[in-house]
């Protein structure tokens, strides 16, 4: 992800994205595009990843990456 994209996603996350959730478990990034987080961290949902049902782009602790929705308890609706 280039710097301008990261800046846009960070601004969108600051506005709440499309939803928020809490990490249910620790998730270690397995690839360069994955989001890493610890149980209890707040995750901002940014968008659904096209072609991958249940996978989302999210923001946590200043980092943007993809994660499985089953690893995060959503607060409300997307």
């Amino acid at each position: 992800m280039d710097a301008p994209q990261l800046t846009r996603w960070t601004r969108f996350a600051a506005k709440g994205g499309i939803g928020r959730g809490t990490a249910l478990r620790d998730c270690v990034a397995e690839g360069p595009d994955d989001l890493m987080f610890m149980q209890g961290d707040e995750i901002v949902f940014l968008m659904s990843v096209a072609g991958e049902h249940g996978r989302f782009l999210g923001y946590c602790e200043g980092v943007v990456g993809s994660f499985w929705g089953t690893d995060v308890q959503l607060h409300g609706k997307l």
Side-chain angles (χ1 to χ4, degrees), residues 20-73:
R20 293 180 180 270
T22 302
L24 297 172
R25 60 189 59 80
D26 296 349
C27 287
V28 177
E30 295 180 5
D33 295 331
D34 293 342
L35 185 63
M36 187 172 103
F37 48 83
M38 304 298 283
Q39 182 178 0
D41 282 350
E42 182 179 273
I43 311 297
V44 178
F45 287 72
L46 300 173
M47 67 176 251
S48 178
V49 175
E52 293 194 51
H53 182 70
R55 193 129 173 107
F56 296 89
L57 187 67
Y59 176 90
C60 179
E61 304 279 332
V63 178
V64 174
S66 62
F67 65 96
W68 291 106
T70 54
D71 293 328
V72 178
Q73 173 66 52

Side-chain angles (χ1 to χ4, degrees), residues 4-31:
Q5 283 179 311
L6 180 58
T7 299
R8 284 192 294 276
W9 285 123
T10 301
R11 286 184 189 149
F12 187 53
K15 295 178 182 179
I18 61 171
R20 293 180 180 270
T22 302
L24 297 172
R25 60 189 59 80
D26 296 349
C27 287
V28 177
E30 295 180 5

